[in-house]
Amino acid sequence: MIYENIDDFINNNNDHLISFTVSTNNNLNLIQNLLSSAEKNNIKIVLFALDNYIVDFIKDKYNIDIVLFMIDNIPNQNSEFFNYEFGTDEWKQIVYFRYFIAHRLLKDGRNIVYLDTDIYINRNYLVDIKEKLRQNNIVIQNNGRNCCTGFFAMKSCRKLINFFSKKNMLKLNCYDFGGKGGSSDQKFFNHYIGTKMQEFNCALLERNFYPNGNHYYDNHEMIDEYCFIIHFNCVEGEFKKIKRVIL
């Protein structure tokens, strides 16, 4: 089902826990890998599509809900060749869309799971995540030093609804985090939440069950059978990520 906006989707969806990803046409191979792994493990993934090309590419391949979530004032979103250039204002918006979408869903009383497009679902995580959200408002992937914002789950509660409102995020200068390396939502998250884990009732997920790239690459023979997801990060570029997925 294709929805023109997030409100239409919410009005036609009754799921208490919603798993979602956000993507442009730049990640077609990775998004197919994510959606195929979700289908294999009986997990419903909602795709928030940032251009029309990815909608046309995905809609006949997977039986999923697709929600149009376009960037304002961009003339070319119908183009196959449209690209969101790194470091532009449009790119900065994309980085934070996961939180603005999460905010709208949390505000409606839904719990959420967010997944980056370079994630492979190895086993169905729903029972485990639901159980963890009984005790925590946020559970998030652990990169060995701090929070990794490529995979997280959140419970609908007033504190998170207030924090992730766009008004509050802008007040906290979210787009300024990352410096010359480009906007970094992970640095923003760790600055305001990672340093106040107890205040936000935030817990790190076990690395063996929710490994990021380096941890998986070093331990895959041991954890392959039981890890819930594999996050193929710590590798730059879609082609290199795909090679890692194949290996």
Side-chain angles (χ1 to χ4, degrees), residues 35-243:
L35 296 178
S36 295
S37 69
E39 192 174 74
K40 179 181 177 182
N41 288 283
N42 198 29
I43 290 181
K44 293 167 58 177
I45 298 286
V46 180
L47 169 62
F48 284 84
L50 302 187
D51 55 64
N52 285 313
Y53 181 75
I54 193 172
V55 175
D56 293 337
F57 185 84
I58 292 295
K59 66 181 181 181
D60 295 325
K61 292 180 170 64
Y62 300 94
N63 183 25
I64 63 169
D65 286 335
I66 300 174
V67 183
L68 301 180
F69 201 81
M70 304 297 193
I71 300 177
D72 294 335
N73 303 318
I74 295 182
N76 255 357
Q77 293 184 84
N78 292 320
S79 172
E80 173 179 352
F81 305 104
F82 183 71
N83 193 14
Y84 301 95
E85 187 176 348
F86 179 82
T88 63
D89 288 341
E90 291 78 21
W91 169 261
K92 291 181 179 181
Q93 289 184 63
I94 292 171
V95 169
Y96 286 92
F97 277 165
R98 67 193 70 183
Y99 303 113
F100 302 147
I101 293 168
H103 172 261
R104 180 67 185 87
L105 296 172
L106 294 172
K107 190 175 179 181
D108 197 67
R110 317 299 181 94
N111 296 341
I112 64 96
V113 177
Y114 168 79
L115 306 91
D116 270 354
T117 55
D118 57 353
I119 283 176
Y120 177 85
I121 300 171
N122 194 48
R123 287 203 300 137
N124 190 308
Y125 55 73
L126 292 177
V127 172
D128 188 62
I129 290 296
K130 287 177 180 178
E131 186 61 31
K132 284 177 168 53
L133 287 180
R134 292 179 185 273
Q135 304 297 326
N136 305 281
N137 290 339
I138 306 174
V139 289
I140 188 165
Q141 195 173 38
N142 173 9
N143 65 12
R145 299 181 305 276
N146 48 36
C147 303
C148 173
T149 56
F151 182 91
F152 58 78
M154 295 182 182
K155 181 193 298 181
S156 177
C157 64
R158 180 53 53 191
K159 187 174 185 66
L160 296 186
I161 292 169
N162 289 340
F163 182 83
F164 286 108
S165 71
K166 190 169 186 178
K167 180 178 180 180
N168 185 61
M169 298 273 282
L170 293 177
K171 182 180 177 181
L172 297 175
N173 299 312
C174 62
Y175 293 135
D176 293 339
F177 284 78
K180 293 182 180 179
S183 192
S184 172
D185 74 285
Q186 186 161 298
K187 289 183 178 179
F188 172 83
F189 189 99
N190 278 301
H191 181 81
Y192 285 107
I193 298 179
T195 57
K196 302 174 182 177
M197 301 280 279
Q198 289 186 332
E199 180 181 329
F200 281 88
N201 191 16
C202 178
L204 295 173
L205 292 164
E206 305 95 318
R207 295 188 80 191
N208 282 348
F209 288 95
Y210 296 89
N212 69 325
N214 285 336
H215 188 76
Y216 178 76
Y217 308 145
D218 292 341
N219 300 279
H220 66 93
E221 292 182 356
M222 180 182 69
I223 65 178
D224 258 337
E225 289 187 7
Y226 62 81
C227 63
F228 289 107
I229 66 161
I230 304 163
H231 185 187
F232 288 97
N233 63 345
C234 306
V235 177
E236 292 186 6
E238 185 182 38
F239 179 71
K240 290 183 179 179
K241 287 179 185 285
I242 291 168
K243 286 183 67 177

Side-chain angles (χ1 to χ4, degrees), residues 2-18:
I2 299 174
Y3 296 95
E4 293 295 324
N5 55 65
I6 193 170
D7 289 334
D8 286 349
F9 166 72
I10 288 174
N11 291 336
N12 288 277
N13 179 282
N14 296 317
D15 295 333
H16 183 59
L17 178 69
I18 296 174

